Amino acid sequence: MSSSIVIIPTYNEIENVEAIIRAVFDLQKEFHVLIVDDNSPDKTGDCVRSLQKEFDGKLFLETRMEKSGLGTAYIHGFKWAIAEGYDYIFEMDADFSHTPSDLLRLLKACENGADLAVGSRYKNGVNVVNWPMYRVLLSYGASIYVKLITGMRVHDPTAGFVCYKRHVLEAIDLDSVRFVGYAFQIEMKFRAHLKHFKIEEVSIIFRDRVLGKSKMSSSIISEAIWGVFIMKMRSLFLKNKF
């Protein structure tokens, strides 16, 4: 059994899901893959089921009844991976904005002492390809804002390409995580930061999706802006419960 599993949440990713699964399984080191699908109308889940025969014992599918948010999909996946005994638990997008071969670099960082490794767009400048300027400014500005509010010295706190060691996720009360959109990524890193886990950033190149549609929305942006401030206040006034 592999000690590493890559969790990939999906909703209407029929154009990408088979290719991303095969790309992970083509790596020199063995990773298992868990797809958490929110009952995609485009039959993403059916595509994964058809591949499970080919990748028996390595490809897993958890289907939820409806679209319930990125954060809850990852929490579902984290609990599943912990119960199955994996030591290294990864987050990765289905749309190839994260390069699958960089999984090896994140794993190496954790094997060399990091408690969680973050695939960072902003560790060494701005490494984003094919994003319009407004999205680059929004994302980079959000990273500065989060650092100012939380005190974390993480250059890319909204990054969704992460390797967690098992004990980090076991130490975090996953049921108390509140954010469900992209701010979920900030909250998970902040909770790890408060528990003094070692967070290491690995510089990556982030590429905008070519196929499928982005899930970004104004509500997700609002959650990130106002939610981060509220999260910081809760951490100050509810230290024993946060």
Side-chain angles (χ1 to χ4, degrees):
M1 175 180 171
S2 174
S3 62
S4 303
I5 189 159
V6 183
I7 301 172
I8 305 177
T10 57
Y11 184 76
N12 286 347
E13 290 289 356
I14 191 66
E15 296 169 299
N16 294 302
V17 69
E18 180 174 353
I20 197 72
I21 288 169
R22 292 190 181 279
V24 174
F25 289 145
D26 282 343
L27 296 174
Q28 292 182 342
K29 182 173 179 61
E30 183 178 30
F31 293 84
H32 288 181
V33 174
L34 170 64
I35 302 295
V36 181
D37 184 63
D38 280 359
N39 202 20
S40 298
D42 70 354
K43 306 299 183 182
T44 297
D46 288 346
C47 178
V48 177
R49 288 185 194 92
S50 71
L51 292 170
Q52 285 184 297
K53 296 178 182 178
E54 181 179 351
F55 300 112
D56 185 41
K58 299 195 296 183
L59 174 61
F60 307 96
L61 172 66
E62 288 285 291
T63 303
R64 305 196 302 166
M65 293 308 296
E66 60 185 5
K67 192 173 186 291
S68 303
L70 180 75
T72 59
Y74 273 127
I75 295 296
H76 185 106
F78 292 159
K79 291 180 177 180
W80 187 96
I82 290 169
E84 293 295 322
Y86 289 93
D87 294 321
Y88 299 97
I89 301 168
F90 295 76
E91 299 179 0
M92 190 173 76
D93 291 347
D95 60 7
F96 284 94
S97 55
H98 305 138
T99 303
S101 60
D102 284 335
L103 290 166
L104 299 169
R105 299 171 61 222
L106 296 181
L107 177 61
K108 183 176 180 180
C110 282
E111 289 178 335
N112 289 343
D115 293 305
L116 60 154
V118 177
S120 177
R121 296 163 291 186
Y122 307 127
K123 181 180 179 181
N124 297 317
V126 178
N127 293 313
V128 177
V129 177
N130 293 334
W131 257 11
M133 183 56 66
Y134 82 89
R135 284 199 68 178
V136 175
L137 293 174
L138 181 64
S139 176
Y140 190 71
S143 69
I144 295 172
Y145 171 74
V146 171
K147 284 192 287 186
L148 289 173
I149 296 296
T150 65
M152 286 193 295
R153 301 273 71 85
V154 177
H155 294 89
D156 194 359
T158 63
F161 195 22
V162 184
C163 175
Y164 293 92
K165 281 184 177 175
R166 173 194 179 91
H167 68 263
V168 176
L169 296 177
E170 289 178 326
I172 294 172
D173 181 3
L174 297 176
D175 289 327
S176 70
V177 175
R178 292 196 171 189
F179 293 147
V180 297
Y182 286 89
F184 164 81
Q185 304 293 359
I186 302 168
E187 183 173 358
M188 288 296 296
K189 296 176 185 68
F190 185 54
R191 287 176 179 270
H193 165 75
L194 292 178
K195 291 184 178 295
H196 306 292
F197 287 118
K198 181 180 179 182
I199 303 173
E200 181 174 331
E201 291 185 88
V202 176
S203 184
I204 65 163
I205 296 175
F206 179 94
R207 294 174 174 84
D208 195 15
R209 67 163 61 235
V210 174
L211 301 174
K213 295 182 179 179
S214 171
K215 312 303 189 295
M216 184 63 70
S217 69
S218 59
S219 63
I220 288 172
I221 295 170
S222 177
E223 178 190 54
I225 294 172
W226 297 110
V228 168
F229 180 77
I230 294 170
M231 179 186 71
K232 175 63 175 180
M233 293 301 100
R234 288 180 61 240
S235 73
L236 294 174
F237 293 105
L238 300 172
K239 287 185 178 180
N240 295 329
K241 296 181 180 181
F242 190 82

